[in-house]
Amino acid sequence: NAGVTQTPKFQVLKTGQSMTLQCAQDMNHEYMSWYRQDPGMGLRLIHYSVGAGITDQGEVPNGYNVSRSTTEDFPLRLLSAAPSQTSVYFCASTTRGSGNTIYFGEGSWLTVV
Amino acid sequence: GENVEQHPSTLSVQEGDSAVIKCTYSDSASNYFPWYKQELGKRPQLIIDIRSNVGEKKDQRIAVTLNKTAKHFSLHITETQPEDSAVYFCAARTGGGADGLTFGKGTHLIIQP
C-alpha cells in the first residue's frame, strides 16, 4: 500500500514552460486535492475533486488546471509557468465524510526561473 | 470562506516544559480540526485531530481543546522533547470535507536543551 504518490519530487522550469505534476493514490479515496506551500503561508488549497469527473477550485486556482478521469489519479497542470508558482506542492486524499484523516503525498519542489 | 489564524508564529520552550499553540477560525460550520507536524523537507503529518462534537482529546503528551462558542482550538504539548522541534499547523474543514482544509500559517516550535 503506497498511499499517495507524487512525481516528480524536484523540477526546475523556465518561465512560460508547461508541465504536469502527477498524483496517484491506491486507497480508493473519493476526495483528492492539491495544495501549495510557501514560506510563512501555510498550505493553500489549489483545486480539489470529490470523485472521478468532478473538480472544483480552491483558494488559489489561477494558473493551474486539473482533471480527474479515474479515482486513482489527480494530475495538476501548469500551462505557462511563472516565477510566482515556485513553491512546494502537496497532493492529498481522503475518504468521503467529515472528519476523515487526510493523507498527504511527499511533496513536489518546483522552481520556475 | 474559512479563515484560520494561528499564534504564535515562533515558540521557544525549555526541554521538559509545556508548549501551547492557539488557533481561531471564522466559519461556524467548520466541524473538523486537525493538527499537523511538519519537519524540514517532509510532508505534514497528522498528530491529533478533534471533531466539533468533542471538547477535548488527548494522546499521550499531546492534547487538543476546542471551544466552539469562541471558535478557537489549541494544541498542548507537555514534557517537551528535542524531537518535538518542528513546524506545527492547525487546520479547519467545513461540511463534508469536499472543499479541503484551511490551514493556519504555522508555528515554529523550538525546544531548547
Side-chain angles (χ1 to χ4, degrees):
Chain A
N1 188 334
V4 180
T5 304
Q6 286 182 236
T7 56
K9 193 170 180 67
F10 301 99
Q11 182 72 49
V12 178
L13 282 179
K14 293 183 179 179
T15 298
Q17 285 185 319
S18 63
M19 78 158 297
T20 299
L21 298 177
Q22 301 291 346
C23 177
Q25 53 90 11
D26 59 1
M27 297 174 281
N28 202 31
H29 285 171
E30 297 92 341
Y31 294 167
M32 297 186 73
S33 50
W34 277 101
Y35 294 85
R36 62 177 287 173
Q37 184 174 29
D38 303 297
M41 293 295 296
L43 285 83
R44 292 181 291 170
L45 183 65
I46 305 171
H47 284 285
Y48 64 94
S49 169
V50 300
I54 306 169
T55 64
D56 209 341
Q57 296 181 349
E59 180 185 354
V60 288
N62 292 341
Y64 307 95
N65 277 355
V66 292
S67 60
R68 185 94 180 270
S69 57
T70 67
T71 299
E72 294 78 18
D73 300 300
F74 191 44
L76 179 72
R77 297 182 184 85
L78 285 72
L79 300 179
S80 179
S84 60
Q85 294 178 304
T86 293
S87 190
V88 182
Y89 292 84
F90 288 98
C91 181
S93 74
T94 187
T95 54
R96 188 195 311 258
S98 175
N100 292 318
T101 300
I102 293 176
Y103 296 85
F104 285 92
E106 293 187 327
S108 295
W109 275 254
L110 177 66
T111 301
V112 183
V113 297
Chain B
E2 175 65 277
N3 182 51
V4 177
E5 299 282 343
Q6 183 172 348
H7 299 280
S9 56
T10 303
L11 178 61
S12 181
V13 301
Q14 290 294 124
E15 182 178 350
D17 287 350
S18 296
V20 180
I21 303 170
K22 299 182 179 182
C23 288
T24 60
Y25 60 98
S26 61
D27 190 345
S28 57
S30 289
N31 55 18
Y32 175 63
F33 307 92
W35 284 89
Y36 288 87
K37 176 183 179 182
Q38 188 178 32
E39 297 173 340
L40 190 63
K42 303 290 187 181
R43 76 184 93 186
Q45 296 276 10
L46 179 71
I47 56 171
I48 196 167
D49 57 13
I50 192 167
R51 290 154 179 78
S52 59
N53 59 346
V54 176
E56 184 174 359
K57 183 177 179 181
K58 189 173 181 180
D59 183 4
Q60 299 183 346
R61 297 186 296 110
I62 296 172
V64 57
T65 58
L66 171 65
N67 183 327
K68 286 194 298 180
T69 302
K71 288 190 279 191
H72 67 70
F73 56 114
S74 300
L75 177 71
H76 305 253
I77 305 175
T78 59
E79 301 173 9
T80 53
Q81 300 169 3
E83 54 264 36
D84 294 329
S85 293
V87 179
Y88 291 80
F89 292 95
C90 63
R93 189 163 80 184
T94 303
D99 54 352
L101 291 169
T102 300
F103 283 82
K105 293 185 178 181
T107 296
H108 186 193
L109 177 62
I110 302 166
I111 308 301
Q112 302 279 5

